[in-house]
Amino acid sequence: MANRTIIAFDFGTLSIGIAIGQEITATARPLTALKAKDGKPNWLEIEKILQEWQPELAIVGLPLNMDGTEQPISNQARKFANRLHGRFGIKVTLHDERLTTIEARAQLFNQGGYRALNKSKIDSISAVIILESWFEQHA
C-alpha cells in the first residue's frame, strides 16, 4: 500500500466539508468546512489547504439517489471535481457518498447529543466518512 496523503471533499451548494487522510494507515480526520455560494467555493481557501497538506489525490463525494441514479447536485459535484483538477493539477476521483451525512450526524450525536450537530462539523465528518469508505474499497 502506498503512503499517499489524500484529501476528501463533501461537496454541497452551501458548504464543502474537507478531510485529510493517510493511505498507509487508512485513517482520516476532519479539517474544516468552507462556505460556498451555489456550489462555488473560495478557491483561494482551497489553494491554501492544498499547499499546506500537499495531497497526491483528492476524493470528491458524488451524491447519488439511493437507487444509484444521479440527482441535480451530482452534476455540480462533477463540475467541482473537474475545476479542482483543472485549477491545481491534482488527480481527482469521484466516490459514491450515499448515507455519509446520515452517518456523520449519528457519529456526532453519539459523541455529544444535539449540541454536537453543528453544520460545519457534519460536513467535515461527512468528508472523513467519504475518505474512510474510499480507503475500505481500495485496501
Side-chain angles (χ1 to χ4, degrees):
M1 183 179 275
N3 185 22
R4 296 183 292 182
T5 297
I6 301 176
I7 195 164
F9 295 90
D10 175 37
F11 176 82
T13 55
L14 300 176
S15 176
I16 298 170
I18 305 174
I20 197 80
Q22 296 298 322
E23 196 168 19
I24 194 109
T25 58
T27 56
R29 65 184 184 87
L31 278 185
T32 187
L34 302 177
K35 296 255 180 271
K37 284 193 173 85
D38 201 25
K40 293 175 182 76
N42 177 333
W43 289 105
L44 290 175
E45 289 178 325
I46 289 182
E47 184 176 16
K48 277 185 204 157
I49 291 167
L50 293 176
Q51 285 174 344
E52 180 180 350
W53 292 96
Q54 300 288 309
E56 285 93 337
L57 176 64
I59 309 296
V60 174
L62 181 63
L64 297 169
N65 293 314
M66 290 312 294
D67 65 2
T69 58
E70 297 213 352
Q71 47 185 305
I73 196 170
S74 306
N75 198 33
Q76 288 179 283
R78 282 184 199 285
K79 277 187 189 160
F80 172 77
N82 290 338
R83 288 192 182 118
L84 198 58
H85 174 72
R87 280 177 185 255
F88 306 110
I90 187 169
K91 185 176 182 228
V92 179
T93 299
L94 291 163
H95 184 71
D96 179 354
E97 66 158 49
R98 281 176 280 183
L99 300 178
T100 53
T101 302
I102 294 163
E103 196 175 320
R105 283 193 179 123
Q107 278 185 20
L108 286 167
F109 185 80
N110 289 341
Q111 291 166 8
Y114 285 107
R115 288 174 313 207
L117 295 179
N118 168 312
K119 176 73 176 124
S120 66
K121 275 190 188 161
I122 291 169
D123 292 335
S124 58
I125 296 290
S126 291
V128 167
I129 294 166
I130 289 165
L131 187 49
E132 288 179 343
S133 163
W134 185 87
F135 284 141
E136 280 172 29
Q137 288 184 16
H138 295 83

